[in-house]
Amino acid sequence: QVLLEESGGGLVQAGDSLRLSCAASGRTDTIYAMGWFRQAPGKEREFVAAVSWRRHITYYDYGDSVKGRFTLSRDSAQNTVYLQMNSLRPEDTAVYYCAKSRTDWTSQASDDYDTWGQGTQVSVSS
């Protein structure tokens, strides 16, 4: 079993930066890809970014709305994935979730992820 815990959310102003963390525990040896999603009130869950590291090849994927502003990184020793969010906009306001992929590869579909954290709130004021 894998447990995921997000942290780092908060209230910031437009143009500011935040770094979210997702710490994995438990059977971390079964994790080869992780993703970040977000969900704003009244909206569907949206893909943000994902990373895979199977066979020592690291691959990153980003949603169109965050490309060039958000960056994923990973600390394998700490079993932690980070989401660096720069140039934040009010439309980035949402609950951000990290998730473990069912497979070795990244995916933009939430159904391809089988373990989710509890989420962390990010609010961006204009």
Side-chain angles (χ1 to χ4, degrees):
Q1 184 181 2
V2 171
L3 297 177
L4 303 175
E5 183 173 5
E6 304 96 334
S7 61
L11 173 62
V12 297
Q13 293 186 332
D16 285 351
S17 298
L18 273 179
R19 189 178 78 159
L20 305 184
S21 301
C22 176
S25 60
R27 288 294 308 277
T28 57
D29 60 310
T30 64
I31 306 173
Y32 293 99
M34 292 183 66
W36 284 93
F37 289 77
R38 66 186 182 186
Q39 189 164 20
K43 294 188 176 182
E44 294 186 353
R45 191 163 292 188
E46 177 189 12
F47 171 75
V48 176
V51 58
S52 62
W53 54 88
R54 184 68 163 173
R55 300 183 183 91
H56 305 291
I57 299 173
T58 302
Y59 178 79
Y60 298 93
D61 188 25
Y62 295 93
D64 290 340
S65 61
V66 307
K67 280 180 182 176
R69 299 188 298 125
F70 290 12
T71 304
L72 267 180
S73 62
R74 173 177 165 256
D75 184 336
S76 58
Q78 298 294 325
N79 295 310
T80 299
V81 172
Y82 302 99
L83 182 67
Q84 177 66 43
M85 306 186 296
N86 298 330
S87 302
L88 282 163
R89 305 167 179 168
E91 54 264 39
D92 294 319
T93 296
V95 177
Y96 284 71
Y97 300 89
C98 71
K100 166 189 162 296
S101 175
R102 301 178 187 274
T103 71
D104 299 349
W105 305 109
T106 61
S107 171
Q108 298 193 3
S110 60
D111 287 346
D112 288 334
Y113 296 81
D114 58 8
T115 304
W116 295 79
Q118 82 288 350
T120 185
Q121 176 71 49
V122 172
S123 299
V124 185
S125 63
S126 57

